[in-house]
Amino acid sequence: MSKLKAIHMGTRTKFWIGFGDIHEDLSLLDDVPQLADADGVIISGDITNRGDSRRAGLLLDKIVSINPNIYALIGNMDHASIISYLDEKGWNIHARGRRLAEGVGIVGVGYSTPTPFMTPSEVPDEKLGEWLSEGYEYVKHLPRLILVAHDPPYGSKTARLPHGENVGNRSVLEFIEKIQPDVCITGHIHEADGEDFIGKTKVINPGMFCMGGYVLVQMTEGKLEAKLMYI
C-alpha cells in the first residue's frame, strides 16, 4: 500500500504539499492529489510575474479556497510588497521560522541573488545568509526541519542550467551543510527540476508549477520524508 493511500484511508500521518515558480499559472491546481487534505501548502516563491501584493493575493486566494493553511515566501519575480501582505495573512516564512507540527519546523528565505534580467527582488548572497540565520532562530529548538529557499544551493543538481553552469546560492549551501535540515524545497532554476542530497538533506526542485511538479513531504514514524511528484 502506498503512503498516499495510507493517508487517504485515514491514518494520522501528517503531510504537506509544496510547489513554486507559479508565475501566475495555476491551471493545474485542481489536479494536485489530496491538496485539500494536506496539513499545509508550502509555496517557494515566484508567485507572480513582476507582480505586487494585489496580484499575488488573487492567485493565493485560489489556493486558499482549497486549503487555507499556507506557508509562503516571495521569489525574485515578486515585488517585496508581497511580504507585508503575507505577514498580514500569517503566511510569511521569509526570514521566519514556524512550527508545523510536534517537533517539526519550517524556515524560509525568498528573493534571489542578482540575475541578468533585473528582476524586482534581488539581493547579494550575504543578505540571504543573514535572513536564513534570522529565521532559524525561531525553530532551532525543533528536531525536524524543512528549509524553503527560492534560490537553490550552489553545487547541487537543482541549480544547474541546461548547458552545465551551476548558478546556485552559496549561503543556502552553507546553511544546509551546517544545519542539515531534513528537506530543502527550492526552485528558481526551472530547467533543474529534480532531487539531490547535500549530506543528509534531501533537496528538491519541482520546477515550474505549470509543468506539473510538486513536493510531497510526510511525517512518518517521527521522520520527515520528501519526494518529487508529477501530476
Side-chain angles (χ1 to χ4, degrees):
M1 180 183 297
S2 71
K3 292 185 178 70
L4 279 173
K5 288 182 179 178
I7 293 168
H8 180 72
M9 290 178 66
T11 66
R12 297 182 66 185
T13 300
K14 288 186 173 294
F15 74 103
W16 300 266
I17 289 173
F19 52 83
D21 293 289
I22 295 169
H23 295 291
E24 306 194 13
D25 187 344
L26 288 171
S27 56
L28 295 180
L29 187 65
D30 291 335
D31 297 321
V32 180
Q34 298 181 300
L35 186 64
D37 300 323
D39 291 278
V41 181
I42 301 168
I43 301 169
S44 57
D46 278 2
I47 303 164
T48 71
N49 292 322
R50 300 178 184 266
D52 58 12
S53 57
R54 183 195 65 82
R55 185 60 186 158
L58 293 172
L59 293 158
L60 292 169
D61 281 348
K62 294 180 181 180
I63 301 172
V64 170
S65 69
I66 299 174
N67 190 316
N69 301 312
I70 305 295
Y71 305 88
L73 46 76
I74 68 167
N76 59 296
M77 288 291 288
D78 303 309
H79 279 279
S81 63
I82 296 173
I83 296 174
S84 296
Y85 172 79
L86 295 175
D87 272 330
E88 290 171 6
K89 293 290 188 177
W91 299 337
N92 184 39
I93 55 170
H94 168 68
R96 298 283 178 84
R98 294 173 62 184
R99 179 183 175 275
L100 285 182
E102 182 67 33
V104 183
I106 187 170
V107 62
V109 63
Y111 291 70
S112 81
T113 47
T115 74
F117 311 108
M118 300 180 65
T119 56
S121 294
E122 301 178 1
V123 294
D125 198 331
E126 296 78 12
K127 187 62 179 177
L128 296 182
E130 292 174 16
W131 281 328
L132 276 170
S133 296
E134 289 175 23
Y136 184 57
E137 287 298 310
Y138 291 87
V139 290
K140 64 182 183 181
H141 62 290
L142 297 172
R144 300 296 178 197
L145 183 64
I146 300 170
L147 167 64
V148 185
H150 181 68
D151 223 359
Y154 179 82
S156 74
K157 296 175 183 177
T158 62
R160 192 169 297 153
L161 296 174
H163 59 272
E165 180 185 2
N166 194 297
V167 292
N169 187 278
R170 293 184 183 274
S171 290
V172 174
L173 173 63
E174 290 170 5
F175 180 87
I176 292 173
E177 289 178 331
K178 179 180 178 181
I179 304 301
Q180 289 284 272
D182 299 86
V183 179
C184 173
I185 300 173
T186 188
H188 186 49
I189 310 302
H190 303 158
E191 309 90 341
D193 58 308
E195 302 179 341
D196 201 1
F197 277 92
I198 299 173
K200 75 167 189 176
T201 302
K202 191 169 190 177
V203 184
I204 304 178
N205 178 353
M208 290 182 69
F209 182 60
C210 67
M211 299 303 291
Y214 67 98
V215 182
L216 173 66
V217 184
Q218 295 183 111
M219 188 70 175
T220 305
E221 297 180 350
K223 295 181 180 181
L224 283 176
E225 298 180 350
K227 185 176 182 180
L228 175 58
M229 310 285 285
Y230 288 95
I231 295 166

